[in-house]
Amino acid sequence: MIKKWLVIFCLLLGAYIAPGQAQVLDRIVAVVEEDVILERELNNEVAAITNKLSSSNVAMPPEFVLRKQVLERMVVDKLQRQLAAKSGVQVSDEMLSASVADIASRNGLSVESFRNELAKQGMEYKAFEDNLRNEIIINQLRGREIGSRVKVTDAEVLHYMETQSKAGQSNSQYHLGHILIAVSEAASATAIQKAKDKADQVIADLRGGKDFKQVAVSVSDDDNALKGGDLGWRSIGQIPSLFTEVVTTMNQGDVSEAIRSPSGFHIIKMLETEGAGQHIVTKTKVRHILIKTNELVDDAEAQKRLVALRERINDGDDFANLARAHSDDKGSAINGGSLDWVGPGALVPPFEEAMNKLAINEISQPVQTQFGWHMIQVLGRENQDNSEQFKKDKIRDEIRKRKIEEETELWLRRLRDEAFVEIDLDRL
């Protein structure tokens, strides 16, 4: 407690007293528990957000409003990082490097080229790494605090499908905008009414023609505020249950009435709508022979054995008989190495990539996966309408995402309300 009040004292002085010394390092704009946010940090973040909004052609709100929004996000971000540190959540250098490599690969670049591209955009690589590490830490924290508690049952999936079918909404997709006027859980009746009045005024402004993104950036307390309140494209299952009844009655361009929740008052705008079609997948009938590596069988020996088996098959031996006699995958060996019909994503990537390159009846060269070395043969391919199973899987994923989103909103609001935060409005 002494340390916390010392930081507050420094806030009033515009100075930060580091342990063992007393000197003015930077002005403090906020105290977050026993940590601080410096004016320099706020300025840097505001500059970054300003560039993003400008590139997205979002009209800029007044500077004070933008700085307040950015600072609030920084406060919540810092609270999450503090909790992550207390909970022992860490990101190793190896995990960080792997994430950077994955991002570079998804952009069609090597890590070195990716670093050069960041430099061209004026971003220091160290700053990018720090931001990425922070994002991974927060995602892991949320997974631990929220994701592990969220379950979706088969009954929920079936109930949703029945409800969706009756409402004729099975193919609908919605592009939504969202604004939240927050209310704390312990708010007085006066505070709640004040928030409701503010929400009603926002609705009137939007219906009067004000730009939604600009208004969201200026007034929304939601995590998506600095993205212009854009929730992206969603099916009914991905929309928070609180909004579903309202959304299904809205037309493109409509702005909802204020929707009350424990977090405050929500405002939804229907930006766009569209339908969806069939989901066709290519299924492959495949079999394989697996040779596992161990103390007696190294990679070279495993490959040698498979090459020998491949030659025997080419000379007329039966693949299924050799699989029964030699494959270390006992589950498929009893069926002649057959994995039956498999769809995309059913097998590990190296196996699937090799399988997809094979012609019908072609036998692969040895292929390595984490399970060992494989010889693969494709027996058939066909396109199948996987719409029903795809729909079930998608609905399960959507319900889970919706639950996580609802839990996250409440969790963040509670984390913020229960924390000690002191903001120096004069520094904004």
Side-chain angles (χ1 to χ4, degrees):
M1 182 59 70
I2 293 175
K3 187 175 179 181
K4 184 177 291 183
W5 282 107
L6 178 61
V7 175
I8 298 173
F9 179 68
C10 296
L11 172 62
L12 297 175
L13 292 179
Y16 176 67
I17 301 179
Q21 59 182 345
Q23 56 180 326
V24 177
L25 299 180
D26 202 347
R27 289 182 172 182
I28 297 171
V29 293
V31 178
V32 184
E33 291 292 339
E34 294 182 355
D35 203 350
V36 297
I37 295 175
L38 302 176
E39 189 173 34
R40 167 178 45 82
E41 295 174 316
L42 175 60
N43 290 340
N44 290 341
E45 190 66 16
V46 168
I49 295 297
T50 299
N51 288 335
K52 287 182 182 179
L53 293 176
S54 297
S55 64
S56 301
N57 296 318
V58 177
M60 301 298 295
E63 183 179 3
F64 173 81
V65 173
L66 179 61
R67 289 175 69 84
K68 184 173 180 292
Q69 283 279 47
V70 173
L71 180 58
E72 185 59 34
R73 192 174 80 167
M74 292 175 72
V75 166
V76 174
D77 182 76
K78 189 172 284 289
L79 287 171
Q80 291 177 87
R81 283 187 283 132
Q82 290 173 352
L83 180 57
K86 293 176 183 176
S87 304
V89 178
Q90 295 180 339
V91 175
S92 66
D93 292 339
E94 291 76 14
M95 185 185 298
L96 184 64
S97 297
S99 297
V100 171
D102 180 58
I103 293 172
S105 176
R106 283 190 272 115
N107 284 276
L109 300 170
S110 66
V111 173
E112 188 60 35
S113 299
F114 183 64
R115 293 184 67 158
N116 293 335
E117 189 62 30
L118 289 175
K120 289 178 185 177
Q121 296 177 15
M123 176 178 285
E124 293 183 5
Y125 185 70
K126 179 63 166 59
F128 171 79
E129 278 194 323
D130 289 344
N131 288 336
L132 180 59
R133 185 188 297 274
N134 181 49
E135 184 177 321
I136 296 172
I137 286 174
I138 288 177
N139 285 338
Q140 287 187 342
L141 174 69
R142 291 184 179 184
R144 177 185 296 186
E145 296 288 326
I146 302 165
S148 61
R149 301 198 308 265
V150 174
K151 309 295 180 186
V152 180
T153 66
D154 291 341
E156 286 179 292
V157 174
L158 292 175
H159 174 71
Y160 172 77
M161 291 179 70
E162 291 171 2
T163 303
Q164 197 179 45
S165 178
K166 289 177 183 177
Q169 302 294 335
S170 56
N171 292 327
S172 298
Q173 293 283 323
Y174 305 94
H175 185 192
L176 302 177
H178 174 245
I179 290 172
L180 169 65
I181 307 301
V183 176
S184 69
E185 290 183 304
S188 65
T190 301
I192 293 173
Q193 186 58 51
K194 184 177 179 181
K196 176 63 166 59
D197 292 343
K198 181 178 180 180
D200 289 340
Q201 184 58 54
V202 169
I203 292 168
D205 291 341
L206 292 172
R207 290 175 176 172
K210 279 201 172 182
D211 180 73
F212 185 88
K213 289 184 176 181
Q214 183 182 10
V215 174
V217 171
S218 299
V219 305
S220 182
D221 297 309
D222 183 60
D223 203 35
N224 286 306
L226 294 174
K227 297 177 184 176
D230 194 339
L231 293 182
W233 283 96
R234 302 185 177 209
S235 70
I236 282 293
Q238 292 173 300
I239 298 170
S241 53
L242 185 69
F243 307 152
T244 53
E245 187 175 342
V246 174
V247 165
T248 55
T249 65
M250 295 174 68
N251 296 315
Q252 185 167 319
D254 285 354
V255 175
S256 73
E257 296 293 337
I259 305 169
R260 183 73 166 99
S261 85
S263 297
F265 294 94
H266 306 262
I267 301 164
I268 300 296
K269 180 169 182 178
M270 180 66 69
L271 302 175
E272 300 172 87
T273 63
E274 67 176 25
Q278 283 184 311
H279 186 262
I280 305 297
V281 297
T282 299
K283 289 202 169 183
T284 304
K285 190 172 186 180
V286 64
R287 59 185 177 180
H288 78 136
I289 296 173
L290 170 67
I291 304 296
K292 293 182 178 179
T293 56
N294 51 44
E295 294 81 0
L296 300 177
V297 180
D298 60 12
D299 289 333
E301 176 62 21
Q303 293 178 76
K304 181 180 176 181
R305 292 185 185 184
L306 287 175
V307 169
L309 291 172
R310 189 172 188 272
E311 290 176 355
R312 289 179 61 180
I313 294 169
N314 289 334
D315 289 338
D317 279 6
D318 182 65
F319 189 109
N321 289 336
L322 292 177
R324 292 187 187 98
H326 298 281
S327 181
D328 290 328
D329 179 7
K330 301 307 178 184
S332 67
I334 195 172
N335 295 314
S338 176
L339 298 174
D340 206 2
W341 290 94
V342 297
L347 304 172
V348 293
F351 190 108
E352 185 169 315
E353 288 170 12
M355 178 187 74
N356 289 339
K357 293 176 182 177
L358 296 173
I360 305 298
N361 295 322
E362 184 181 0
I363 299 174
S364 74
Q365 295 293 337
V367 176
Q368 187 178 29
T369 72
Q370 65 261 47
F371 302 109
W373 289 85
H374 310 255
M375 181 168 62
I376 306 168
Q377 184 180 33
V378 170
L379 300 177
R381 284 196 182 91
E382 64 180 34
N383 291 330
Q384 295 183 7
D385 183 354
N386 193 45
S387 300
E388 190 66 17
Q389 186 58 49
F390 177 77
K391 181 179 177 182
K392 288 181 179 179
D393 293 341
K394 194 167 185 291
I395 286 172
R396 185 180 300 276
D397 185 53
E398 288 170 354
I399 294 174
R400 177 175 170 78
K401 286 180 179 177
R402 184 190 70 198
K403 286 185 171 183
I404 289 176
E405 185 174 89
E406 293 172 347
E407 288 293 323
T408 299
E409 183 178 280
L410 287 172
W411 178 72
L412 288 175
R413 184 59 49 195
R414 191 173 295 120
L415 185 67
R416 175 65 173 86
D417 289 344
E418 294 175 357
F420 176 85
V421 178
E422 188 79 18
I423 293 176
D424 186 356
L425 295 176
D426 293 335
R427 300 297 182 197
L428 298 179

